[in-house]
Amino acid sequence: MTDALNAILVIVLVMNLFVLGTSRILAVINTVATQGALLGVIPLLVHTHLTISVVLTSVAAIVLKGVVIPSIMIRALRDAEIKREVEPLIGLLPSIMLGALATAFALLFAGELPLAGEHQSALLVPTSIASVLVGFIILTSRFKALSQVIGYLVLENGIFIFGMLLIDAMPLLVEMGVLLDLFVGIFVICIIVNHINRAFSSLDTRLLASLKE
Amino acid sequence: MVSPMSIKLVQFAILCAALSGVVGLFVRRSSLVGQRIATLMMVFGQVCGIAGAVSFFHSGEVQSIRLSWPAAGDSLVGLDALSAFFLIPVFLIGGLGSIYDLGYFPQSLHPRNGRKLRLFYGGLVAGMALLVVSRHALAFLFGWEAMALSAFFLVSTEDHRRECRRSALIYLVATHVGTLSLFALFSLWKWSTGSFILDPAAGAGMSFGVVTALFLLALIGFGLKAGIMPLHFWLPGAHANAPSHVSAILSGVMLKMGIYGLVRVLSLLPDPPGAFGGLLITLGAISGLLGVVFAIGQHDLKRLLAYHSVENIGIILMGLGLAMLGRSEDRPEWVALGMAGCLLHVWNHALFKSLLFYSAGSVVHGAHTRQIDRLGGLYRRMPLTGTMFLVGAVAICGLPPLNGFVSEFFVYVGLLESGISEDGGGLGAVIAVPVLAMTGALALACFVKVFGSVFLGNPRSESAANCHESPFTMRIPMIVLAICCFAIGLAPALLGPVLDGAIRTWNGGATANVPGVGDVAPLREIGVTSISLVGAVLLFYLFMAIRGRRSEKAGTWDCGYAIPTSRMQYTASSFAKTIALMFGWALGTRTHGPRVEGSFPEPSSMESHVDDAVLDRLIVPLSLGVTRWFRWFRRFQQGLTQHYVLYILITVVAMLCTLMPFDEFITRLFER
């Protein structure tokens, strides 16, 4: 079981790096969608005996992250008529290096944490921290509004993986609430993306700074 | 066992006050119904409240009831002589102010802010009454904050004016700093006594350091509210810019809540060292003298009255300091005299300062300006207002036969006695008595200036010439207050028992038996002298009336100048100039212009103003400096989301790094 889990988590880590190193936004969205769907499988693997709540979490995560959110984003992408993140603050290759550094840091750090026995061997904690850090890197280095959304998604994926440690302790309601928040957040941002595009004829979030006092 | 009737009445009064403005919120904006209901509720409630306090003075039984209010622990509300004493001005001025409101701030003329004013006026009165009767720190703070915030909204009633918003903001900052200090005070109290209940017995056995810390915290927290001299900076602006009946209750009653807090906390502290009393007397002397000096420099009628509040707080503080000195030196007669002066001056100042603010409001209502140098000749046009102002002025200057004399007399006698005695250190005689005398003299000069230039002479502006007497509802409260001023001045002996009760309550913790006020001060003699003085004046007036001599009317400048104008009169500023020059070191009057050059000079203008010593010369430059320093941080706030997220990332990584055992990593690296 742990081997399958770790295999998925390694794929997730690789996908993080791919997201950092690609400029075509459609490809990035598809990657994140796949990542989300893969993550949706994890609850089934972590727990040997399946309960209703685990299955529900899994299904909701797969549907939402794998299908609904990507389709909203692709639609927004089509409306905004852009294809690439043209001028990231940090170039693509340095981004990958940073992402690799963050992953290494996460692995080192997780090794030092006093974790419960069953979580020691799995890569859950390092993957979670690495995804959070990668999400942050995307958020700080990309300027297009849609890239920002992707950053949030990766960040949330990291938090979702961490939540897997607690799925027994955490009520279903919390998990569902988090997913709902994510959905609403992305939904709203995609609408805003459209508005930013119309107001500034660009999706560059730096232009929003002109709104400050 | 007396049934706690008095406290029930007081509770009812508080409830009435708190709810008085609510009805007005539900009726039409321009309708007068809400205002009338508010006044009715206020007056009825406050009469009940006064009845409760007076009935307490009759029975004399300390009463307390427990509120079932879980948020404040087991909150205690009680009535003792000290509370009842401070309740009387709260209810009296509160009720009179709401009558005054009918004429001064009619809802039909102020549809935008009248309802707000009424709501928070009720809240202010309720808050003050609650804090006076509370025996529990949390209930006290609740009342305190209700009072402080209501006062903020009252000061900002006319918030379309810029200076009004500024004063309200300064007041808000000052009051919150004070509240912060009170939080610290009561936390320390809880820490040292184990409970929030304000009970004198609980204070026994405190260490000297704790007592000193409690004293200093109380001095800062309550001193900010009372307006003791370096902490008075919020006061002039707030009082000048509030509507006049609000200024009256702020100055006459709300400042006294600071005094009440100080009096109450000092009564709880065991074995105060002599330095407390000395510090209080010194602060009182500074407030008294500088308050009146700054008052002389003002050109704005209400601002001037506000500075006089600082002066009177100084006198009250001197009385309190003397009583503290008496407690630490074990001299009961000083306690009696000092406390009697302090407490009676609380009442007196509430009465005559409200009277003065009401008549100043009447002037503003009639002439539409507060600038003394634009008024003049109002006595002929508004005789009642003028007379009432005169009564208030005589009272505030501490002249017989009015009430101000009685309380200042107590303080004089007490300070002199402490100066004569060997162990008083002569502090009272050396510093306080001359300062008190000088304060009185300067106050007299100040009010000669005000009365002379506002009510006598010729009008200096169109609006002053066209002004009219105020409506009936504004005159009633003034007359009531003037009668009270005369009553206390003519028959101070009647107040003896009330003062004795309050002083004994204050001194409850101390062992010494305090003598009655009547035994240490010649109350009867004061009364007889005052009555005979009034009688003599009346006789003289009657004699002159019978002889029928009338003064002739003639032009003021009739000695050869053809076209005199009213602008040739002495202005208030020129009248005060001599004294203002004498105290130039404190006042720092700034004069701009006039420029007169050449043989045929151009038309020029001249103006002068007095900045507040603490606010304009210390606090404002200081906060500007701080603002400039913090401008450096702007570079971190560029409005880019990416930057903000980066800050979060840096914080997260830094926090994660603190968990990492880097030493171990390094050693492990080198092992390999």
Side-chain angles (χ1 to χ4, degrees):
Chain A
M1 212 48 112
T2 315
D3 290 340
L5 180 63
N6 280 353
I8 290 182
L9 290 173
V10 168
I11 296 173
V12 166
L13 284 176
V14 173
M15 279 176 165
N16 281 343
L17 297 183
F18 181 77
V19 167
L20 278 174
T22 312
S23 71
R24 275 176 300 130
I25 293 180
L26 184 63
V28 173
I29 292 176
N30 284 331
T31 314
V32 175
T34 321
Q35 194 184 36
L38 264 178
L39 289 181
V41 181
I42 296 182
L44 304 175
L45 295 177
V46 172
H47 296 275
T48 39
H49 43 271
L50 294 178
T51 58
I52 292 283
S53 81
V54 170
V55 174
L56 259 178
T57 313
S58 173
V59 170
I62 292 173
V63 170
L64 211 59
K65 291 187 177 167
V67 183
V68 180
I69 291 176
S71 61
I72 299 176
M73 288 177 66
I74 289 172
R75 183 174 209 156
L77 185 71
R78 208 173 49 220
D79 290 348
E81 294 175 340
I82 52 164
K83 292 214 161 52
R84 286 167 185 277
E85 172 75 44
V86 185
E87 35 174 355
L89 181 70
I90 309 172
L92 295 175
L93 195 62
S95 296
I96 297 180
M97 308 281 273
L98 262 181
L101 263 179
T103 311
F105 175 81
L107 282 164
L108 264 180
F109 180 74
E112 294 303 321
L113 284 179
L115 294 172
E118 70 257 35
H119 303 312
Q120 285 284 16
S121 55
L123 283 174
L124 275 174
V125 177
T127 317
S128 147
I129 296 174
S131 298
V132 168
L133 291 177
V134 167
F136 267 119
I137 292 171
I138 298 173
L139 278 174
T140 47
S141 67
R142 305 292 155 89
F143 294 120
K144 289 273 186 279
L146 273 172
S147 307
Q148 296 273 307
V149 178
I150 290 161
Y152 283 115
L153 269 179
V154 174
L155 185 72
E156 209 283 333
N157 281 345
I159 297 168
F160 182 84
I161 299 170
F162 205 85
M164 287 305 108
L165 296 176
L166 304 168
I167 195 159
D168 285 333
M170 203 154 45
L172 177 65
L173 200 64
V174 176
E175 200 67 42
M176 289 297 151
V178 172
L179 282 174
L180 184 71
D181 276 355
L182 182 73
F183 172 68
V184 172
I186 304 284
F187 190 71
V188 170
I189 293 173
C190 286
I191 293 172
I192 293 175
V193 162
N194 216 346
H195 282 269
I196 295 176
N197 196 26
R198 251 187 251 162
F200 297 102
S201 340
S202 157
L203 270 188
D204 196 332
T205 46
R206 277 172 297 184
L207 294 171
L208 289 177
S210 65
L211 296 178
K212 106 179 161 148
E213 284 182 60
Chain B
M1 177 72 195
V2 184
S3 73
M5 189 61 209
S6 319
I7 186 121
K8 288 257 169 65
L9 281 169
V10 170
Q11 272 187 312
F12 177 71
I14 294 176
L15 211 65
C16 270
L19 298 178
S20 65
V22 175
V23 181
L25 297 177
F26 297 103
V27 296
R28 220 153 27 84
R29 270 193 173 193
S30 53
S31 141
L32 283 171
V33 175
Q35 185 174 22
R36 294 210 174 115
I37 292 176
T39 306
L40 210 66
M41 280 177 80
M42 279 301 272
V43 171
F44 180 66
Q46 307 320 310
V47 167
C48 288
I50 293 176
V54 169
S55 75
F56 169 81
F57 284 132
H58 273 287
S59 69
E61 183 115 353
V62 177
Q63 308 166 348
S64 67
I65 53 173
R66 210 167 273 275
L67 290 183
S68 51
W69 186 19
D74 44 351
S75 232
L76 276 178
V77 169
L79 204 58
D80 60 11
L82 209 56
S83 302
F85 192 90
F86 277 85
L87 275 180
I88 298 252
V90 172
F91 289 143
L92 180 67
I93 310 297
L96 290 177
S98 83
I99 299 177
Y100 189 87
D101 180 68
L102 283 176
Y104 183 77
F105 218 81
Q107 182 68 40
S108 46
L109 295 184
H110 302 270
R112 210 176 68 82
N113 41 22
R115 300 188 295 182
K116 179 174 101 178
L117 171 75
R118 236 104 43 211
L119 182 67
F120 289 111
Y121 188 82
L124 176 72
V125 174
M128 290 195 292
L130 175 64
L131 86 87
V132 168
V133 294
S134 62
R135 291 288 164 278
H136 190 276
L138 291 182
F140 182 95
L141 280 176
F142 184 78
W144 184 267
E145 274 305 279
M147 165 187 86
L149 292 179
S150 301
F152 165 73
F153 288 109
L154 288 174
V155 171
S156 62
T157 299
E158 298 174 57
D159 51 11
H160 51 277
R161 291 190 293 125
R162 192 168 166 275
E163 52 179 329
C164 191
R165 291 196 299 269
R166 178 172 185 259
S167 315
L169 218 59
I170 291 171
Y171 164 72
L172 192 67
V173 172
T175 189
H176 276 159
V177 172
T179 309
L180 196 65
S181 167
L182 293 190
F183 279 162
L185 169 72
F186 288 126
S187 308
L188 189 59
W189 175 261
K190 162 97 182 187
W191 176 77
S192 58
T193 66
S195 111
F196 275 126
I197 293 175
L198 302 174
D199 183 20
M206 268 185 213
S207 73
F208 176 71
V210 172
V211 171
T212 311
L214 285 173
F215 171 72
L216 289 178
L217 284 171
L219 196 60
I220 293 170
F222 294 123
L224 259 166
K225 185 62 72 186
I228 297 171
M229 191 57 175
L231 306 175
H232 73 288
F233 56 88
W234 61 272
L235 190 150
H239 288 189
N241 287 305
S244 293
H245 56 300
V246 173
S247 315
I249 199 164
L250 290 185
S251 169
V253 189
M254 195 182 79
L255 301 189
K256 305 309 176 325
M257 292 302 117
I259 296 291
Y260 169 78
L262 206 54
V263 166
R264 179 62 78 182
V265 168
L266 290 183
S267 85
L268 299 174
L269 296 183
D271 318 321
F276 290 2
L279 181 61
L280 285 176
I281 291 182
T282 316
L283 282 175
I286 293 172
S287 306
L289 187 62
L290 289 184
V292 71
V293 165
F294 272 95
I296 285 179
Q298 302 304 314
H299 307 315
D300 176 328
L301 183 54
K302 285 173 74 179
R303 228 179 141 76
L304 180 145
L305 291 179
Y307 273 111
H308 270 289
S309 301
V310 178
E311 175 223 329
N312 281 287
I313 289 293
I315 295 171
I316 293 172
L317 221 54
M318 282 195 225
L320 183 59
L322 177 65
M324 287 300 283
L325 213 58
R327 230 168 87 178
S328 38
E329 303 283 341
D330 211 9
R331 301 293 288 261
E333 69 275 14
W334 299 357
V335 175
L337 281 168
M339 216 50 211
C342 165
L343 291 174
L344 190 57
H345 208 70
V346 164
W347 269 22
N348 289 341
H349 183 241
L351 294 172
F352 58 62
K353 185 46 70 68
S354 303
L355 177 58
L356 284 169
F357 266 118
Y358 286 165
S359 21
S362 183
V363 167
V364 175
H365 185 258
H368 305 295
T369 179
R370 302 198 309 247
Q371 295 301 318
I372 297 172
D373 285 337
R374 298 185 58 75
L375 297 164
L378 292 189
Y379 195 83
R380 220 171 270 285
R381 290 164 180 81
M382 24 192 3
L384 185 97
T385 302
T387 314
M388 290 300 132
F389 194 89
L390 188 61
V391 171
V394 173
I396 200 173
C397 296
L399 296 179
L402 284 162
N403 56 351
F405 172 73
V406 183
S407 42
E408 287 194 31
F409 183 78
F410 288 154
V411 181
Y412 268 118
V413 173
L415 286 174
L416 281 173
E417 261 189 30
S418 77
I420 293 163
S421 80
E422 285 156 15
D423 47 9
L427 177 80
V430 175
I431 302 172
V433 173
V435 167
L436 197 56
M438 201 143 101
T439 307
L442 289 173
L444 190 59
C446 186
F447 275 95
V448 168
K449 156 189 144 170
V450 176
F451 192 79
S453 46
V454 172
F455 290 99
L456 304 181
N458 287 321
R460 293 182 178 81
S461 69
E462 194 76 3
S463 53
N466 296 333
C467 76
H468 51 87
E469 184 58 276
S470 301
F472 181 67
T473 43
M474 287 168 68
R475 281 179 277 166
I476 294 275
M478 291 196 256
I479 294 171
V480 172
L481 287 173
I483 291 173
C484 291
C485 285
F486 268 109
I488 295 181
L490 295 181
L494 293 180
L495 289 178
V498 176
L499 284 171
D500 286 344
I503 295 167
R504 290 223 175 85
T505 309
W506 181 73
N507 208 33
T511 45
N513 216 355
V514 182
V517 180
D519 304 333
V520 286
L523 289 179
R524 277 171 212 290
E525 287 81 346
I526 295 174
V528 170
T529 318
S530 299
I531 291 174
S532 45
L533 195 65
V534 171
V537 169
L538 283 180
L539 271 181
F540 178 72
Y541 191 77
L542 210 64
F543 175 68
M544 295 300 277
I546 290 170
R547 271 185 57 183
R549 254 190 72 179
R550 305 195 126 253
S551 51
E552 286 176 29
K553 272 189 186 173
T556 316
W557 289 70
D558 227 9
C559 44
Y561 191 73
I563 29 172
T565 74
S566 63
R567 296 184 61 193
M568 289 176 180
Q569 299 172 91
Y570 257 98
T571 60
S573 331
S574 51
F575 183 86
K577 181 126 193 187
T578 324
I579 300 172
L581 280 181
M582 224 186 290
F583 288 95
W585 51 271
L587 278 177
T589 312
R590 298 234 213 127
T591 314
H592 308 285
R595 245 193 252 158
V596 184
E597 289 159 349
S599 314
F600 297 98
E602 298 278 303
S604 182
S605 67
M606 175 263 188
E607 63 167 328
S608 70
H609 55 92
V610 173
D611 295 335
D612 188 81
V614 178
L615 182 67
D616 294 317
R617 280 181 232 152
L618 189 69
I619 294 179
V620 171
L622 207 69
S623 16
L624 282 181
V626 172
T627 315
R628 211 167 301 135
W629 192 71
F630 272 107
R631 200 168 290 161
W632 185 77
F633 283 97
R634 286 267 177 88
R635 68 184 60 192
F636 292 111
Q637 196 203 354
Q638 301 282 357
L640 271 182
T641 333
Q642 281 83 358
H643 287 187
Y644 303 147
V645 176
L646 185 65
Y647 302 149
I648 299 176
L649 176 64
I650 291 170
T651 317
V652 168
V653 171
M655 285 166 86
L656 289 180
C657 282
T658 58
L659 292 175
M660 300 266 278
F662 281 109
D663 310 348
E664 216 174 294
F665 288 152
I666 291 167
T667 48
R668 233 191 275 170
L669 275 178
F670 282 108
E671 268 171 21
R672 280 175 204 168

